[in-house]
C-alpha cells in the first residue's frame, strides 16, 4: 500500500469513525433495533433527536461513503493475506450495518397515520 | 498458544484501531462535551422549578405541601469590579439566598455565604425539611431569589421582592455572581409533587403497541423490511362480527419511540424538562385502539383518570382517535369527568376520508416496506377505521367526500358526488364493507356527539389542528364495468386535496366548539407525529404548564394562513415520481415500492399505477421533480396550481410514450412547466416538451371523458355485412376542456391519430378500436367497432352425378362457408350471408345416353356477363351403362376428357396443356370433371 493509498484509507475510515465516536448513529440505531417495544438510544445526543433527522441522514450518508470507499481501497490494495481479508470482511459488515441504518432512516421516519 | 500471538502481530494495527474506537466510544460520552464540571446526578431527584433571575410562583398547592430541599446551581465571580454595585453596596461579599412569601408575607428566608476565593460552579443545597405547609387556604407560594451582601439579602433595600422587581439592579447584581448575563441560576426543589396537576396522554389509532405473545404486531420495525407481505400482522384482524380474529392479541404501552419515529417520547421529555415525572404526574393511557370508541375503552379511561387524579383534576392531551374517546368519556360522565385542561390534537371529530381510502385501497402510512394490501386487509372489519370514516355531520358541513365516475358504453360518463347515505350504500353493498361496523360508527357519530361542546361540562378545552398539509378531502372512484366474475373494475383518480394534517381535514379537526384564543393551527403538521412534532409539543406544554416555550413559528391562530397553495401533480402511467425540496426532503416511491414522504405539508397517494402528489409552495418552496419509467405504454402527467384551496390553472402532458428506460425531469420557469425526457436513459435529454395543454380554473376541473361517435358509410348487406368498401368517420365531443385528439387502431395495429375517415377495402371482418382524449387528459374508454365486408357473390361448380345421371350444381363463397343455392332446369340462384347474389343460366339436353350442358351467362348482384362458348358432355355405355366418357370444352381455353372403364376400374384422362399439347394419364377409380365459374370465367378441373 502506497503512502497515498494509506492517506485515502485513513480519510475514508475517519469519515466513518469520527461521527461514530461523536454521536454513534449506527450503534444507537442497531441498539434500538435490538430492543422490543419502546426503545432507548445507547447514547442520547442531538443527532438522535427526531427534529434533527436531516442531520442524521447527512452524517450517516457520509459514514456510508467512508466505509464503502475504505472497503474499496482495501480491496484494491489487498495482498490477499489473511489479515487483509479479515479487515475487509469487517469493513463489509460495517458497510452492511450502515446501509441498513441509512435505509431505516428513510423507511420509518415518515410514519403518518 | 502461538496462534494468538501470531494473529496479534499480524493484526496489531487493526486491533489497536478497534481498541481506540471503543475507547473513544466510552470516553466520548456526553459528559465529556458538556460544560458542567460537577456531578449532575445529585440533582436527579430534583425538579427544575425555575431558570432565570425572576421569582416564580407555585400554584395549585395542596394540603401538606412539603419542601424538603432547595438547590441552586450557580457560579460566583471572583474579583468583580462593578462601580454600580460598589456604589450601591460598598462592602460586597458573595452570597445568595431566597425568600418565600405567602402573599405579601415572608414566611421563610435563607442565604448562603460564599468564600470570596471560591469561584467554581457549584450546587448549593438548603436541605433541611424546613417548610411544611398545612391547611387548604394556601393558593400559592411566591419564591424570590437574589444575591446577598453583608450577611443580608439585599443591598440598600430590605424588600427582596422589590429588589428582584427592579431590572437594572437585578442585572447588576446578577453580573456580580454569575459568569455572565447569559448564564442563569437554576433552582431545583425536591418536594411534594402534588403541586402539579397530573397530565394524561391519550394516543390515537395505531398509537399503542399490539402484541401476540412476545411478538410485537404493531409497531414492529420489521414492517419496514421490503421483503414479504407483512402477514405477521394478520392476528390483528377482526372477524366480520367485529370480534378479534385472534383472542391472544393484546396491547401493551403507548408508543413512545421507535427507530426514527418519535410518537410521544419528545412530548414526554418536554414535560420532564418542566419538572414532570412519568408515572408520578405524567401518565400515558394505552388501550386497544382496534376497538375504536367502545365502552371498554371508555371505562378503562375513566379508571385511569380516577387512578391518577389524587382527588383533584387531570389535564389531558388527546391525539386523533383519543380525542373521540375523551369526548365520549365526558359525555358519559357529565359533571364527574375530573378533567381540567384538555388539549385536542388532530382529532377527526367528524371523520376523515383517508379512512375510506384505507378501506378501499389500503395505505402504508408512509412506512417503507409496509404492505398497503396488508393494512387494507386488516382495516376491513376493524371498528376504529369505521369510527374514523366521515360522518353525516362531515357531509353536512363539508359536502360530499366520495365522487363516482361511472363509465358508460357509447354514452357520456356519469359523474356524481355521493351523499353520505349513498356512500354508505355503495361501500357496504358494492364494496363489501362491514355493515355492523358502520352501524356502530353511525351510533357514535350522532349530530350531538359530533358537535358536543366540552366547555359546557367545565373542560378547559384547547384545540391544535393541522391546517396546511395536503389531505384527502374526497375520494374519486371510476367504475369501468365488471370483470368476468362480476367484480367491479375500479380505478381511483386524483383525490381532491383539502387543508389538514395529512390525514384529518381541517374542517373535521375544527368541528369542535372551543374558544377562539384556544385554537391553534399547526402549519407543517404530520398527523401521526403531532404529539412530539417540533413546535406542537412546546405549545402543548405551554398550554398545560403555563410556560412560554418557543414554538418556532410553526403554529398560528390565524386561519387565513391555512389555505393551500402549491402544486398537485397527477401521473397516470407506469411512471414513478420523485420530488426533492430545497432542503433535500424526498417524496416518492422507494426501491421496495413503498411510499416515502418526508416533505413537510406534502401529500402522496398511490392507487395502482396512478400517483398523486401535493407539494406546498406558500413558503417559497422549490422542488426538483424526477420521473422514471417502470414499464412500457404511455403516460399522462397533470400539474394543477392550487391557491387558496382552489385550482387556478393546470398544465398537462398527455399520452406520451414511456418505457422502462425513460427518465425525465420536470422543470418550472415562471411557473410554466417543461418536461425534459431522456428516452433511453443514457443521461442525454432527447426531448424538451411544453405542456400538451394549459387549462384555466374551470377547465382544470374537467373529469368527464370525451365521447366519440363512429359513422360507417358503404353498401349495407345482410347480417351486419357491408357489400362494398366502407369508410369509418369518427366524431368526438367534449363538454369542458375541449378535444385534444382521437386515436384509433385498425385490426390491432398500433394506434394512430385520427385525421380523416378510415377506408376499409379488403374483405373480411375488421376491428377498429378508438377513443378520444380531452385537453384535461381524460381518456375515453376504448370503443370497439366491428365491420365485416363481403364484396364478392358466390361462384358455382357443376359436375355430373352418375348415380342420378344428371348434372349437379353447388355454390361456393370466399367468406361464407354455406352459401344458399336454388336451381331449376335452366338456371341457379346463389346468395351468401352478406346478401350478394349470383345467377347462372344454362341449357342442358339429353339424347339417349348422351348428356350435355352449356353455361350461357352469369350475373353477380344483378350485373350479368355471357360466357365464352363451352360444352360439358357426358356419355354412358356398356352393360348397365357402367362405362362413361366426360368431356369439357371451353373455347380457346381448355379441353378435358375422362374415359372410365368399369372392368378395369380406371379413368383415362386427357387434358390440353397450356402449350397446346395433350397430356394423357391414367388414374384408378372413377374421376370427375368439375366445371367452375370464377369471376365471369370458366375453368375445368379433374378431381
Amino acid at each position: 500500500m502506497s503512502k497515498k493509498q494509506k492517506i485515502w484509507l485513513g480519510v475514508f475510515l475517519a469519515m466513518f469513525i469520527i461521527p461514530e465516536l461523536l454521536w454513534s448513529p449506527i450503534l444507537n440505531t442497531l441498539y434500538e433495533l435490538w430492543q422490543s417495544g419502546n426503545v432507548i438510544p445507547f447514547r442520547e445526543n442531538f443527532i438522535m433527536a427526531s427534529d434533527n433527522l436531516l442531520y442524521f441522514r447527512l452524517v450517516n450518508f457520509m459514514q456510508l461513503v467512508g466505509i464503502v470507499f475504505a472497503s474499496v481501497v482495501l480491496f484494491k490494495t489487498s495482498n490477499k493475506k489473511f489479515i487483509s481479508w479479515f479487515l475487509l470482511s469487517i469493513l463489509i459488515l460495517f458497510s452492511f450495518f450502515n446501509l441498513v441504518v441509512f435505509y431505516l432512516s428513510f423507511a420509518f421516519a415518515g410514519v403518518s397515520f | 498458544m502461538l496462534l494468538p500471538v501470531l494473529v496479534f502481530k499480524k493484526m496489531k494495527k487493526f486491533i489497536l484501531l478497534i481498541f481506540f474506537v471503543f475507547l473513544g466510544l466510552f470516553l466520548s460520552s456526553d459528559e465529556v462535551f458538556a460544560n458542567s464540571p460537577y456531578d449532575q446526578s445529585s440533582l436527579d431527584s430534583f425538579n427544575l422549578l425555575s431558570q432565570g433571575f425572576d421569582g416564580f410562583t407555585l400554584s395549585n398547592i395542596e394540603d401538606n405541601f412539603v419542601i424538603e430541599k432547595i438547590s441552586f446551581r450557580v457560579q460566583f465571580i471572583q474579583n468583580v469590579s462593578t462601580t454600580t454595585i460598589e456604589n450601591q453596596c460598598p462592602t460586597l461579599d458573595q452570597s445568595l439566598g431566597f425568600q418565600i412569601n405567602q402573599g405579601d408575607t415572608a414566611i421563610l428566608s435563607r442565604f448562603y455565604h460564599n468564600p470570596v476565593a471560591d469561584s467554581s460552579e457549584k450546587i448549593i443545597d438548603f436541605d433541611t425539611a424546613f417548610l411544611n405547609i398545612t391547611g387548604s387556604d394556601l393558593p400559592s407560594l411566591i419564591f424570590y431569589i437574589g444575591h446577598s451582601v453583608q450577611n443580608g439579602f439585599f443591598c440598600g433595600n430590605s424588600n427582596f421582592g422589590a429588589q428582584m422587581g427592579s431590572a437594572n439592579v437585578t442585572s447588576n447584581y446578577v453580573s456580580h455572581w454569575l459568569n455572565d448575563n447569559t448564564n442563569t441560576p437554576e433552582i431545583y426543589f425536591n418536594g411534594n409533587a402534588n403541586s402539579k396537576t397530573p397530565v394524561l396522554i391519550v394516543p390515537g389509532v395505531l398509537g399503542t403497541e399490539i402484541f401476540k405473545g412476545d411478538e410485537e404486531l404493531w409497531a414492529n420495525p420489521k414492517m419496514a423490511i421490503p421483503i414479504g407481505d407483512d402477514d405477521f400482522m394478520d392476528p390483528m384482524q377482526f372477524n366480520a362480527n367485529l370480534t378479534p380474529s385472534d383472542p391472544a392479541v393484546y396491547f401493551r404501552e403507548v408508543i413512545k419511540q421507535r427507530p426514527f419515529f418519535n410518537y410521544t417520547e419528545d412530548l414526554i421529555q418536554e414535560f420532564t424538562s418542566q419538572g414532570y415525572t412519568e408515572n408520578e404526574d405524567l401518565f400515558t393511557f394505552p388501550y386497544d385502539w382496534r376497538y375504536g370508541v367502545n365502552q371498554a375503552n371508555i371505562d378503562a379511561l375513566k379508571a385511569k383518570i380516577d387512578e391518577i387524579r389524587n382527588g383533584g383534576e387531570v389535564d389531558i392531551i388527546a391525539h386523533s382517535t383519543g380525542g373521540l374517546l375523551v369526548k365520549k368519556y365526558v359525555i358519559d360522565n357529565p359533571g364527574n369527568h375530573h378533567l381540567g385542561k384538555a388539549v385536542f390534537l388532530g382529532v377527526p371529530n367528524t371523520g376523515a376520508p383517508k379512512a375510506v381510502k384505507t378501506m378501499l385501497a389500503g395505505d402504508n402510512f408512509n412506512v417503507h416496506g409496509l404492505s398497503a394490501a396488508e393494512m387494507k386487509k386488516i382495516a376491513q372489519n376493524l371498528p376504529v377505521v369505521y369510527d374514523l370514516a366521515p360522518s353525516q355531520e362531515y357531509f353536512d358541513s363539508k359536502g360530499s367526500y366520495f365522487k363516482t365516475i361511472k363509465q358508460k358504453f357509447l354514452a357520456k360518463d356519469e359523474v356524481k358526488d355521493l351523499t353520505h347515505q349513498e356512500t354508505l350504500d355503495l361501500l357496504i353493498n358494492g364494496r363489501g364493507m362491514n355493515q355492523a361496523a358502520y352501524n356502530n360508527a353511525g351510533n357514535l357519530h350522532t349530530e350531538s356527539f359530533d358537535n358536543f361542546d366540552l366547555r359546557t361540562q367545565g373542560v378547559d378545552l384547547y384545540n391544535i389542528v393541522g391546517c396546511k398539509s395536503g389531505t384527502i378531502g374526497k375520494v374519486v372512484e371510476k367504475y369501468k364495468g365488471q370483470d368476468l366474475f362480476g367484480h367491479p373494475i375500479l380505478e381511483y383518480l386524483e383525490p381532491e386535496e383539502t387543508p389538514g394534517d395529512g390525514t384529518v381535514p381541517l374542517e373535521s379537526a375544527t368541528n369542535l366548539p372551543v374558544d377562539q384564543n384556544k385554537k391553534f393551527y399547526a402549519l407543517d403538521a404530520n398527523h401521526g407525529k403531532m404529539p412530539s412534532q417540533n413546535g406542537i409539543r412546546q405549545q402543548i406544554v405551554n398550554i398545560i404548564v403555563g410556560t412560554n416555550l418557543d414554538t418556532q413559528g410553526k403554529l398560528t391562530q390565524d386561519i387565513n394562513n391555512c389555505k393551500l397553495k402549491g402544486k398537485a401533480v397527477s401521473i397516470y402511467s407506469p411512471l414513478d415520481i420523485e420530488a426533492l425540496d430545497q432542503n433535500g426532503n424526498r417524496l416518492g416511491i422507494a426501491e421496495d415500492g413503498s411510499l416515502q414522504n418526508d416533505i413537510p405539508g406534502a401529500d402522496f397517494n398511490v392507487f395502482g399505477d396512478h400517483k398523486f402528489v401535493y407539494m406546498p409552495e406558500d413558503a417559497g418552496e422549490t422542488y426538483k421533480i424526477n420521473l422514471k419509467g417502470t414499464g412500457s405504454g404511455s403516460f399522462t402527467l397533470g400539474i394543477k396550481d392550487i391557491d387558496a384551496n382552489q385550482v387556478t390553472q393546470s398544465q398537462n402532458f398527455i399520452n406520451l410514450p414511456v418505457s422502462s428506460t425513460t427518465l425525465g425531469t420536470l422543470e418550472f420557469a415562471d411557473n410554466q412547466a417543461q418536461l425534459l425526457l431522456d428516452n433511453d436513459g443514457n443521461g442525454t435529454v432527447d426531448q424538451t416538451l411544453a405542456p400538451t395543454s394549459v387549462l384555466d380554473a374551470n377547465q382544470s376541473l374537467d373529469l368527464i371523458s370525451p365521447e366519440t361517435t363512429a359513422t360507417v358509410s358503404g353498401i349495407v348487406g345482410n347480417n351486419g355485412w357491408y357489400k362494398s368498401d366502407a369508410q369509418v368517420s369518427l366524431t368526438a365531443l367534449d363538454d369542458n376542456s375541449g378535444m385534444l385528439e382521437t386515436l384509433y387502431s385498425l385490426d390491432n395495429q398500433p394506434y394512430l391519430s385520427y385525421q380523416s375517415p378510415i377506408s376499409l377495402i379488403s374483405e373480411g371482418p375488421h376491428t377498429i378500436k378508438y377513443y378520444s382524449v380531452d385537453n384535461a387528459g381524460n381518456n375515453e374508454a376504448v370503443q370497439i367497432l366491428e365491420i365485416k365486408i363481403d364484396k364478392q357473390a358466390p361462384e358455382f361448380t357443376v359436375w355430373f352425378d352418375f348415380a342420378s345421371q344428371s348434372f349437379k350444381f353447388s355454390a361456393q363463397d370466399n367468406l361464407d362457408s354455406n352459401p344458399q343455392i336454388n336451381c331449376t332446369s335452366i338456371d341457379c340462384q346463389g346468395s351468401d350471408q352478406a346478401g350478394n347474389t349470383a345467377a347462372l343460366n344454362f341449357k342442358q339436353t339429353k339424347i339417349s345416353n348422351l348428356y350435355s350442358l352449356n353455361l350461357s351467362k352469369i350475373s353477380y348482384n344483378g350485373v350479368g356477363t355471357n360466357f365464352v362458348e363451352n360444352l360439358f358432355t357426358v356419355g354412358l355405355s356398356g352393360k348397365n351403362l357402367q362405362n362413361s366418357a366426360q368431356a369439357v370444352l371451353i373455347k380457346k381455353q381448355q379441353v378435358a376428357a375422362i374415359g372410365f372403364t368399369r372392368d378395369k376400374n380406371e379413368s383415362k384422362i386427357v387434358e390440353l396443356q397450356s402449350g397446346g399439347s395433350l397430356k394423357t394419364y391414367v388414374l384408378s377409380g372413377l374421376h370427375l370433371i368439375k366445371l367452375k365459374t370464377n369471376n365471369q370465367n370458366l375453368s375445368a378441373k379433374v378431381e
Side-chain angles (χ1 to χ4, degrees), chain B residues 455 461 463 513-521 557-559:
Chain B
R455 298 172 301 179
L461 184 62
N463 197 15
V514 62
D515 297 345
Q516 194 56 40
N517 63 341
K518 294 180 179 178
K519 193 187 289 187
F520 300 89
Y521 303 101
Q557 290 194 287
D558 182 1
I559 197 169

Side-chain angles (χ1 to χ4, degrees), chain B residues 482-551:
Chain B
Q482 293 184 334
D483 64 14
L484 293 174
F485 304 101
H487 300 138
I489 303 171
L490 304 171
E491 180 183 16
Y492 291 95
L493 306 183
E494 181 179 13
E496 291 184 13
E497 296 281 348
T498 189
D501 59 22
T503 297
V504 180
L506 180 63
E507 286 84 353
S508 176
T510 54
N511 199 84
L512 183 73
V514 62
D515 297 345
Q516 194 56 40
N517 63 341
K518 294 180 179 178
K519 193 187 289 187
F520 300 89
Y521 303 101
L523 299 175
D524 291 332
N526 176 332
H527 182 77
K529 295 177 177 173
M530 282 181 82
S532 284
Q533 209 168 342
N534 198 17
I536 297 177
R537 66 172 186 264
Q538 290 90 342
Q539 184 62 54
I540 296 169
V541 173
N542 288 344
I543 291 169
I544 299 287
V545 185
T547 51
N548 191 27
L549 300 176
D550 182 10
T551 58

Side-chain angles (χ1 to χ4, degrees), chain B residues 439-452:
Chain B
N439 290 342
N440 290 344
N443 293 334
L444 171 70
H445 283 284
T446 60
E447 185 181 353
S448 62
F449 177 84
D450 283 357
N451 296 310
F452 186 74

Side-chain angles (χ1 to χ4, degrees), chain A residues 44-97:
Chain A
E44 281 281 9
N45 55 60
F46 94 98
I47 212 166
M48 298 304 293
S50 59
D51 299 340
N52 299 327
L53 185 62
L54 274 179
Y55 297 113
F56 182 97
R57 287 176 183 159
L58 188 67
V59 166
N60 198 229
F61 180 72
M62 188 179 75
Q63 286 188 286
L64 187 60
V65 170
I67 196 74
V68 168
F69 277 86
S71 305
V72 171
V73 171
L74 200 62
F75 178 76
K76 291 184 75 172
T77 59
S78 169
N79 54 12
K80 299 186 178 175
K81 288 182 179 176
F82 169 75
I83 182 67
S84 298
W85 288 114
F86 181 76
L87 281 173
L88 195 59
S89 305
I90 296 288
L91 291 185
I92 289 172
L93 187 65
F94 282 9
S95 301
F96 173 73
F97 288 150

